[in-house]
Amino acid sequence: MSALPLKEADAQLLALVVTIRAARSGIGNITGQDLRALRLADAGAAVNGLSVLGWQGQDRLLGDDLVTPVGIGVPDLAEGPERRLPFGKVMRSRVSGWASRTMAAKPVRKTSSAARLAALHLAAHWPADDYGTLPASLPESGRAALPELAAKGFLAELDGDRYLLGDSVRHLAGMRPRPVVSPRAPEEPELAWDEWKDGVSVALRRHVEAVEGCATCALSTARVSEAFMRKAVPAQFDEKVRASYGTWAAGRPGQGPEAAEFAAAFRAAHGHGPSVKQLCKGLGWGKMSRELRIFAVRRLIADEWLTNTDPVPWTLRPGRAAQGGAAAPVSAKRRR
């Protein structure tokens, strides 16, 4: 990034993300939601700043469409295979996921663009469990943000050009030796996750990356991959759960509109819908069993206050009853 004629940290951080995504084909796909998730101080200036690099297509990111991928052409990566970075399909996905996890790490996610840019450089060049040397590629904006990273705990030590990552982020070390796995050993979970993402549709992949890269939720890769890869099992509710719901619902009227409003606000802020647990917590439902939470949300879906893309997680959103002129909720019709 230091070699690019970009002065502002916002533009440098955006350029780095696009470069990773364009590594194989010279085209980096990014959505308006991705741009929002980067929390740039001036997203418009950052997008326009890429024009000085001769990149193409980025202007479309500034429209109202937040979900359609915008392909940004990076000429230096597209002029013949020899100009492209030596990434395979799985490796590119791994690097992109690592960058998202690094920027979402707790000591980093609420810092400035310059600090997150520096965090990516330092984590990528850090030799695990040893002192690293500030990389020559670190832009001046990133160097100026080093005290911020030290104050947040991303850096355990900073002495001149020597640095040491904090304990909570050492797993992000880019120079960490990969474990030797025998041919008969089980497949590494992270590799299986990358391969799973490579095999899904573009729309689902976009949703997965929105959840995985959400700086606000800051979910671990293990948590996200387990939720998406596990086999869906139909929930079974016994009479005890149904009776508990009846008692609980009697004391909480008007949950439908509130749930729809919360789901809409959550999706606008995060770029994806809430999980069942996040919805219940956000609505202040208090302590309740997992079965009761699921049953309560299923009723909101049946009443059309909410809808989702079952069984895909983090897809809750307002349903038909939350829209002007919608038909009465299904359960209301049944009670007549």
Side-chain angles (χ1 to χ4, degrees):
M1 290 301 104
S2 60
L4 297 177
L6 299 173
K7 296 182 180 180
E8 300 300 326
D10 281 349
Q12 292 170 338
L13 184 60
L14 177 59
L16 179 57
V17 171
V18 173
T19 298
I20 291 173
R21 299 190 179 196
R24 298 189 67 242
S25 65
I27 302 292
N29 290 316
I30 186 169
T31 67
Q33 289 178 348
D34 296 330
L35 181 64
R36 178 179 291 182
L38 287 177
R39 294 181 297 106
L40 305 177
D42 190 339
V47 170
N48 292 329
L50 300 186
S51 299
V52 304
L53 305 178
W55 295 8
Q56 302 170 346
Q58 62 271 11
D59 292 346
R60 287 176 291 157
L61 276 176
L62 299 178
D64 296 329
D65 187 348
L66 299 181
V67 298
T68 302
V70 173
I72 300 178
V74 182
D76 286 345
L77 297 178
E79 296 175 3
E82 71 281 358
R83 302 293 298 276
R84 299 174 188 171
L85 298 178
F87 282 3
K89 189 174 183 180
V90 172
M91 179 57 70
R92 194 220 63 82
S93 178
R94 289 173 66 92
V95 173
S96 183
W98 166 85
S100 296
R101 291 193 299 275
T102 300
M103 289 189 287
K106 187 174 181 179
V108 181
R109 64 176 179 262
K110 293 185 179 180
T111 59
S112 64
S113 296
R116 282 175 283 144
L117 182 68
L120 289 170
H121 279 77
L122 298 185
H125 291 85
W126 190 61
D129 303 320
D130 198 357
Y131 283 92
T133 301
L134 296 181
S137 60
L138 182 62
E140 287 301 319
S141 61
R143 289 179 179 271
L146 294 179
E148 184 180 357
L149 290 179
K152 292 290 187 178
F154 183 85
L155 293 177
E157 294 184 40
L158 179 62
D159 182 13
D161 283 348
R162 297 205 326 154
Y163 69 96
L164 197 65
L165 292 192
D167 290 340
S168 66
V169 293
R170 293 189 176 185
H171 63 287
L172 298 170
M175 304 298 288
R176 180 180 296 277
R178 290 184 60 78
V180 177
V181 181
S182 68
R184 296 184 180 181
E187 185 178 36
E188 295 177 74
E190 188 175 350
L191 182 58
W193 173 230
D194 290 333
E195 292 181 343
W196 183 89
K197 288 191 291 186
D198 286 337
V200 301
S201 67
V202 173
L204 179 54
R205 175 64 177 261
R206 192 163 60 240
H207 172 63
V208 169
E209 292 184 343
V211 176
E212 191 175 25
C214 181
T216 305
C217 292
L219 301 167
S220 68
T221 299
R223 169 75 178 88
V224 177
S225 61
E226 191 275 334
F228 278 98
M229 294 176 68
R230 69 186 171 200
K231 185 178 180 180
V233 178
Q236 301 293 327
F237 305 106
D238 56 26
E239 289 303 318
K240 182 178 179 180
V241 173
R242 297 175 185 275
S244 296
Y245 172 77
T247 302
W248 175 87
R252 291 180 174 273
Q255 288 298 306
E258 292 179 14
E261 182 178 356
F262 176 83
F266 188 100
R267 179 173 290 274
H270 294 246
H272 61 82
S275 65
V276 169
K277 185 175 181 179
Q278 287 171 323
L279 177 76
C280 297
K281 182 178 180 180
L283 293 173
W285 285 0
K287 187 175 182 180
M288 55 199 302
S289 69
R290 178 175 179 274
E291 291 76 15
L292 181 55
R293 286 201 307 265
I294 295 175
F295 188 81
V297 173
R298 291 285 180 88
R299 288 301 297 267
L300 289 172
I301 293 174
D303 286 348
E304 297 184 351
W305 287 112
L306 295 174
T307 187
N308 68 344
T309 307
D310 196 43
V312 182
W314 288 286
T315 56
L316 286 171
R317 55 194 183 274
R320 290 179 58 209
Q323 303 170 11
V330 173
S331 61
K333 295 176 183 177
R334 291 171 180 166
R335 288 194 291 269
R336 292 174 183 170

